[in-house]
Amino acid sequence: MSTTPATVQFSEDQAEAWDAVAEALEAAGVDIVEGTVMPEGGAPSVLSVIGKAGSGKTLLLANLYKALEEAGIEIVSGDFEGRKRKERRTLAILAPTNKAASVLRSRGVPATTIHRILYTPVYDPEYERIAEWLAGQGERPKPDLLGDMGLTEEVLDRAKAFYDLHKSIPGALASAGLRGSDFIQGWKRREDPLDIGFVDEASMLDERQFDDLREIFPTLVLFGDPAQLAPVNQSGEMCFERLPAASKHVLHRIHRQADDNPILDLAHALADDSLTFEAFERMIETAAARDPRVVWAERVESDLMARSPVLVWRNATRIRLIQAFRAAHGAPADALLPGEPLICDGIELPLKHRKKRIDLEARGLIKGAQVIYLGPGKKPGFSRLHVMGAEEPRLSAASIIKIELPDEEEPFIPYAARMGAAFLHGAAVTIHKAQGSQWPDVQVFAPDIYAAYRAGRTEAGIPLWKRLAYVAITRAETRLLWVVRARLARPSAPLSIDDLPKGGATLTLEREEEG
């Protein structure tokens, strides 16, 4: 007998996956059918729900989250955790990147990044009282305490209104005029395990992340797409592929919009073993002739590159496109213009500065994060940045910005602190790095896909060009531009930051210049 909610029309394979997850949750003491919760128990379990784009993974995840919330399960966001309670049961919904987490949040699912769960903030005790009250775990701070902290009742009301709307403690405190350094003393590696974990975009998990998550969550459910590209260090294999057959639940049926989806049609056509690159391009041309959501493009649109990078296979192509973009905008060789896109390439800090590394990563500056340059910071080597997809996106941090040049081994570095977050230009990115992200409009550089086709390489038994094309195409939310020539259209307007949200305070990671 199916336990699926009567208000949702699930396909047969979705219903089977729902029942499997419900059974695992019941074994762990949470009955989402009856809405009852018992103390944590049962043996640890890991299961996966896998399917290609459009198979309904996100719909299933969202409805499981709603059922758990209705049963009284608390959501762990990663930005604040109150006092431990013996009877407390929790759910954390995770994604590997800020962008992937923001895609879920845009659909009403309160997701956070894996980094924000692995590392937890340490609050100043006085501000922790305010955080507990905002989260419904404590009493409203008394006026005398607020006076000592330089806050007013009106400011506290503003913070509460923000939290009720956005469910973000740092955001609420920032709306009260506080900086992160006022209320967060540092970050620490999580020591205590959590409870239930849902992980979206699980194809991006590497072995170390998977082991960390199994250590933290007794009940872990992975949602992933087996047709995507595996992490580069795992020989084409994804972590969920090694689970026992009984723990893997596959969604076969593809759910399309009422007016059909030509982008998904193209993506799923790649499953045909006999399909050649030339035949696939003819399919794209035919789709473009009848539907504006697919574009057969004779050149790259530079206007789109500022917020939606061109997706390529080869690094040499990426570097040439970035240089063409900067030249088209008249960017100087020795500086960045406000509005230029960047990609975080990791944190360049010695091991002894572990705390500073955690601080930067917790603010969203993890490898692969998309960032928009806003301008220089107040200190040498600092940059003001907007982290795309982050809940508190604006910050100022010590930066090492590298501009790669064609046929040059060493990049040019216009800005460099002694240590901090490293960045590459983001006007074009490799398809591997684009996984987990989505943009309304996506440009795919077809000559690179053709180069992969001519190379004849395979990954896990599938032609590499098909995996690359599948991942690139499914990054498009509403419009796919298949770029067939190495040409660049001139920009229609100068670079700007006027399109970025202006709300919230800018967090300054001042300590990054020390040491």
Side-chain angles (χ1 to χ4, degrees):
M1 179 179 142
S2 177
T3 63
T4 55
T7 56
V8 182
Q9 291 297 315
F10 282 149
S11 61
E12 185 177 342
D13 52 9
Q14 284 177 314
E16 288 174 358
W18 172 283
D19 290 346
V21 176
E23 186 177 334
L25 292 172
E26 187 175 5
V30 180
D31 189 332
I32 58 175
V33 180
E34 300 296 332
T36 58
V37 177
M38 300 290 288
E40 191 175 332
S45 65
V46 181
L47 63 157
S48 65
V49 177
I50 58 178
K52 292 185 178 181
S55 60
K57 297 185 299 295
T58 302
L59 175 68
L60 195 63
L61 189 157
N63 279 280
L64 285 164
Y65 146 64
K66 290 175 185 174
L68 285 166
E69 186 181 45
E70 288 170 4
I73 302 296
E74 292 183 30
I75 306 302
V76 176
S77 69
D79 62 28
F80 173 75
E81 286 185 52
R83 292 184 296 269
K84 298 281 188 294
R85 300 195 309 276
K86 187 176 289 188
E87 73 282 1
R88 182 182 185 224
R89 300 299 306 270
T90 64
L91 166 69
I93 302 169
L94 314 177
T97 65
N98 289 290
K99 185 68 174 171
S102 72
V103 169
L104 282 177
R105 289 197 297 270
S106 71
R107 297 171 182 174
V109 179
T112 190
T113 63
I114 293 170
H115 270 88
R116 288 295 292 268
I117 289 298
L118 293 179
Y119 296 99
T120 59
V122 178
Y123 277 67
D124 178 283
E126 290 186 333
Y127 291 102
E128 188 170 22
R129 297 184 200 177
I130 298 178
E132 288 178 344
W133 167 67
L134 289 170
Q137 299 172 14
E139 295 181 357
R140 183 183 176 106
K142 293 184 168 48
D144 57 338
L145 174 64
L146 293 177
D148 292 341
M149 299 167 69
L151 301 177
T152 65
E153 295 278 357
E154 182 183 356
V155 165
L156 204 62
D157 289 338
R158 186 163 69 243
K160 186 68 167 70
F162 184 99
Y163 180 79
D164 289 344
L165 187 61
H166 299 287
K167 295 292 186 281
S168 168
I169 297 290
L173 295 178
S175 76
L178 299 170
R179 298 177 302 170
S181 56
D182 291 330
F183 55 86
I184 294 179
Q185 296 179 330
W187 303 81
K188 65 177 182 179
R189 172 84 183 199
R190 179 178 295 282
E191 297 172 356
D192 299 325
L194 287 170
D195 191 351
I196 302 164
F198 289 171
V199 185
D200 197 30
E201 296 288 353
S203 61
M204 298 173 67
L205 290 181
D206 60 33
E207 198 63 46
R208 182 177 177 181
Q209 288 174 317
F210 186 39
D211 289 341
D212 284 340
L213 292 171
R214 283 191 293 186
E215 194 175 308
I216 290 172
F217 295 101
T219 303
L220 187 63
V221 186
L222 309 177
F223 296 81
D225 185 338
Q228 291 197 15
L229 294 157
V232 292
N233 58 347
Q234 289 189 200
S235 304
E237 191 174 43
M238 300 172 190
C239 60
F240 50 72
E241 291 177 326
R242 292 192 295 279
L243 294 177
S247 298
K248 291 189 284 191
H249 304 279
V250 183
L251 304 181
H252 298 284
R253 181 180 166 191
I254 303 304
H255 305 263
R256 297 186 178 90
Q257 302 167 353
D259 55 347
D260 210 355
N261 188 331
I263 298 171
L264 283 183
D265 287 341
L266 290 168
H268 294 296
L270 291 161
D272 182 351
D273 292 338
S274 65
L275 185 70
T276 64
F277 179 83
E278 293 82 3
F280 183 61
E281 280 211 318
R282 287 196 296 272
M283 291 180 66
I284 294 174
E285 213 168 356
T286 300
R290 66 170 184 261
D291 197 307
R293 289 173 291 181
V294 178
V295 178
W296 181 268
E298 295 287 340
R299 67 195 68 198
V300 175
E301 294 295 333
S302 57
D303 287 342
L304 294 177
M305 294 171 73
R307 298 295 178 266
S308 174
V310 181
L311 304 188
V312 305
W313 175 44
R314 299 175 292 192
N315 267 319
T317 307
R318 178 178 63 84
I319 293 168
R320 286 198 299 271
L321 283 169
I322 288 168
Q323 288 302 314
F325 170 83
R326 300 199 78 232
H329 280 285
D334 59 350
L336 290 180
L337 298 174
E340 288 199 64
L342 302 172
I343 298 289
C344 182
D345 196 40
I347 309 298
E348 296 192 2
L349 289 170
L351 288 175
K352 66 178 182 178
H353 293 289
R354 179 173 170 273
K355 182 176 179 294
K356 294 178 182 179
R357 175 186 297 275
I358 294 171
D359 210 4
L360 286 168
E361 289 174 340
R363 292 300 180 196
L365 292 181
I366 57 180
K367 192 173 179 69
Q370 292 176 265
V371 174
I372 304 299
Y373 178 76
L374 302 178
K378 294 180 180 179
K379 299 179 181 180
F382 271 62
S383 301
R384 290 184 294 114
L385 307 166
H386 181 102
V387 183
M388 302 296 283
E391 292 179 82
E392 294 84 43
R394 296 215 168 184
L395 56 84
S396 175
S399 308
I400 303 160
I401 298 174
K402 306 172 185 179
I403 304 297
E404 297 157 292
L405 303 172
D407 305 317
E408 297 284 342
E409 288 189 16
E410 295 298 322
F412 174 70
I413 301 178
Y415 306 106
R418 284 179 291 174
M419 58 183 69
F423 297 95
L424 302 175
H425 205 279
V429 302
T430 61
I431 295 168
H432 264 99
K433 283 193 175 180
Q435 286 198 137
S437 298
Q438 282 192 307
W439 298 272
D441 302 299
V442 164
Q443 301 184 87
V444 180
F445 193 71
D448 262 23
I449 308 296
Y450 179 68
Y453 171 65
R454 290 296 299 264
R457 289 170 52 181
T458 62
E459 185 178 285
I462 299 173
L464 176 61
W465 79 268
K466 289 187 175 182
R467 281 192 181 272
L468 291 168
Y470 177 87
V471 172
I473 285 171
T474 54
R475 300 311 91 202
E477 292 177 341
T478 56
R479 191 167 66 125
L480 166 70
L481 292 88
W482 186 260
V483 181
V484 296
R485 295 184 183 275
R487 297 175 178 172
L488 182 73
R490 292 186 178 278
S492 62
L495 283 169
S496 171
I497 59 174
D498 292 342
D499 60 305
L500 300 173
K502 296 181 176 61
T506 298
L507 300 164
T508 302
L509 302 176
E510 297 174 353
R511 291 169 301 201
E512 297 308 320
E513 68 171 6
E514 298 172 1

